[in-house]
Amino acid sequence: MTAARTRGRATRGRSSRTEEVQQRIKQLILERGLAVGDPMPTEFDLVEELDVSRNSLREALKALQAVGIVEIRHGFGMYVGSMSLDALVDELTFHARISKRQGRDDLAHLVDVREVLERGLVEQVIDRGLAAGNTELDEVMRRMNAEADAGQVTPETDRMFHELLYRPLANPIVNQLLGAFWDVYRTLQHDLAPVRQEASDVAQRHRDIYEALRAGDRRAAATAMAAHFRGIRERLAQARGD
């Protein structure tokens, strides 16, 4: 057997062992009924309880920390982590950049997914009678109008508008997922040529969504959302030089 094959088998063995320890740590969290932010057993206690080596435990904890399941606060201890899609953002961004070299356009595909998600969500807000009384959305719309009058709608205001659209659904995963898509989109935009867009057009597309939502008009909301994403695709095409 060659040295390379021996090393390969050893690496696979360590990987399998690390995954096994990860699963056991997750099971321990569930069995003890620990919630986000709760302290976890110390590293010493986990080594004893799981009957694993310190190296295997540390590799497993590092992997769990990367996906937000474990939070390690140096000098304080380990805690159950809060949900994070940072790993998803990194992976989507990386593979979108690879896809560009291979003649695919994963950024455009990401926009497609986001449109389907947002169109369904805005319809939920209307169907469940949650469109009225969102004073924060009213304020952000006023801010966007003011920014458009000044010549530029900021990305922060744009993002907040979309977050507030769906906040009445009280679904924490929605804004986490949309935030992840937004982070990937904004990061990958830097890879593209800058595109000039009229602030008044940006504000108008958002205003159309806002007014359809306030009117409780599903059809108008769907039409406005489609126009909004059509504008995004047009800017992407210009940035790519299509």
Side-chain angles (χ1 to χ4, degrees):
M1 182 181 299
T2 65
R5 290 179 63 186
T6 301
R7 286 195 300 271
R9 289 190 175 185
T11 299
R12 287 193 296 272
R14 286 196 302 272
S15 176
S16 177
R17 180 60 171 164
T18 299
E19 291 172 2
E20 178 188 342
V21 177
Q22 288 179 56
Q23 294 301 322
R24 293 175 65 183
I25 293 171
K26 288 189 285 187
Q27 189 62 33
L28 180 147
I29 292 171
L30 294 173
E31 289 175 351
R32 295 193 178 184
L34 300 180
V36 170
D38 285 347
M40 291 178 54
T42 66
E43 186 177 294
F44 176 82
D45 289 338
L46 286 173
V47 166
E48 292 293 317
E49 185 164 350
L50 301 178
D51 190 24
V52 296
S53 71
R54 189 174 296 273
N55 284 341
S56 294
L57 178 67
R58 287 180 174 175
E59 287 183 12
L61 288 172
K62 184 177 180 180
L64 293 175
Q65 183 182 23
V67 295
I69 293 175
V70 170
E71 180 183 356
I72 300 175
R73 304 176 192 171
H74 296 290
F76 294 93
M78 294 184 296
Y79 300 80
V80 179
S82 57
M83 189 177 72
S84 171
L85 297 181
D86 289 347
L88 175 64
V89 170
D90 289 342
E91 186 171 351
L92 286 174
T93 302
F94 177 76
H95 284 288
R97 282 174 168 155
I98 288 180
S99 76
K100 185 178 178 182
R101 297 179 182 178
Q102 298 174 334
R104 300 197 318 273
D105 190 355
D106 283 359
L107 181 54
H109 298 158
L110 186 67
V111 170
D112 290 343
V113 173
R114 183 183 154 197
E115 179 182 4
V116 170
L117 181 62
E118 291 208 43
R119 286 178 67 170
L121 289 170
V122 77
E123 289 179 358
Q124 277 196 40
V125 173
I126 292 171
D127 291 346
R128 291 166 61 178
L130 301 173
N134 192 337
T135 57
E136 289 180 290
L137 182 61
D138 297 338
E139 176 56 35
V140 168
M141 191 67 252
R142 284 193 289 270
R143 186 196 312 169
M144 185 177 291
N145 288 333
E147 290 180 352
D149 290 341
Q152 182 181 13
V153 174
T154 64
E156 292 75 20
T157 298
D158 192 340
R159 179 171 185 165
M160 182 57 68
F161 175 89
H162 287 270
E163 288 184 359
L164 291 173
L165 277 179
Y166 316 115
R167 185 169 291 178
L169 295 173
N171 185 334
I173 297 177
V174 165
N175 277 341
Q176 287 261 12
L177 188 56
L178 289 177
F181 286 171
W182 182 272
D183 289 339
V184 175
Y185 178 77
R186 296 298 300 178
T187 300
L188 292 174
Q189 266 195 320
H190 295 300
D191 297 345
L192 302 172
V195 173
R196 171 69 181 172
Q197 55 179 324
E198 293 297 329
S200 58
D201 292 340
V202 174
Q204 184 61 57
R205 289 193 182 101
H206 288 82
R207 194 179 304 115
D208 289 343
I209 297 171
Y210 170 83
E211 291 175 353
L213 184 72
R214 283 288 179 257
D217 190 330
R218 290 174 94 255
R219 180 174 296 181
T223 299
M225 195 67 75
H228 171 65
F229 280 95
R230 186 162 56 249
I232 294 176
R233 291 189 185 90
E234 289 171 356
R235 292 196 299 273
L236 286 177
Q238 292 175 40
R240 291 191 303 262
D242 295 354

